[in-house]
Amino acid sequence: VSYLKPRRIRIDVSKDHVLELARFVRDELGFDHPISVSGVDYPKRSTIEVVYHIGSCSRDEYRSFVLAFAVHLPRDNPVMPTLIPVYRGVEYHEREVFEMLGVVFEGHPRLERLLLPEDWADIPPLLKDFHIKGREE
């Protein structure tokens, strides 16, 4: 557990155990609703962090809680398993993280562009070393 606040819990998990954790929080704790998936680039640490925010629709006592779990990936090879087998609703969220940060979600059935133009030929735009062409530094 990396933090525990009122109605907010965050757990750091390795990519090797993320599916196991996701199944546990869904099946045993009742956190059954994916709220969002986000990513953060930390170039000084050479990591990309993928954060899943999960809520509960099935358990009244947890409806106001948000459980977050974060996976830290190496920036030079950001690959992790997809959570679609556990939470079908993460499909588009993972596609956005793939497109914007370059994270590859192994086993994702449709890991392709979602928001960027088809002719996008630059690095993922949410990486810190992406620079808008023509804008002064």
Side-chain angles (χ1 to χ4, degrees):
V1 174
S2 61
Y3 71 70
L4 182 59
K5 298 179 181 180
R7 295 185 192 84
R8 301 288 182 264
I9 301 168
R10 178 180 154 138
I11 300 168
D12 290 336
V13 61
S14 73
K15 70 178 183 176
D16 297 330
H17 294 98
V18 69
L19 279 168
E20 180 183 355
L21 175 67
R23 284 188 184 101
F24 174 79
V25 301
R26 182 196 63 191
D27 299 341
E28 302 298 323
L29 302 179
F31 284 88
D32 54 1
H33 175 68
I35 299 168
S36 68
V37 181
S38 60
V40 183
D41 180 23
Y42 293 104
K44 290 180 182 175
R45 289 191 255 167
S46 294
T47 62
I48 292 177
E49 179 183 80
V50 178
V51 183
Y52 291 83
H53 296 92
I54 310 295
S56 179
C57 292
S58 61
R59 304 235 355 224
D60 288 339
E61 66 272 28
Y62 293 150
R63 285 189 188 227
S64 64
F65 282 79
V66 175
L67 176 65
F69 43 94
V71 180
H72 299 269
L73 302 170
R75 195 169 188 259
D76 61 349
N77 187 27
V79 178
M80 66 174 285
T82 181
L83 290 193
I84 289 177
V86 181
Y87 295 113
R88 182 70 185 158
V90 302
E91 179 183 353
Y92 288 99
H93 299 286
E94 287 183 346
R95 283 177 63 188
E96 182 180 0
V97 173
F98 162 72
E99 188 172 35
M100 296 296 162
L101 287 162
V103 175
V104 175
F105 294 93
E106 291 180 322
H108 193 290
R110 197 171 163 204
L111 204 56
E112 58 192 42
R113 285 203 197 289
L114 180 67
L115 302 170
L116 292 174
E118 287 299 318
D119 62 348
W120 183 264
D122 210 331
I123 66 172
L126 290 184
L127 291 177
K128 299 287 192 217
D129 35 10
F130 173 77
H131 299 287
I132 297 174
K133 290 172 180 56
R135 183 179 285 180
E136 292 184 55
E137 296 298 315

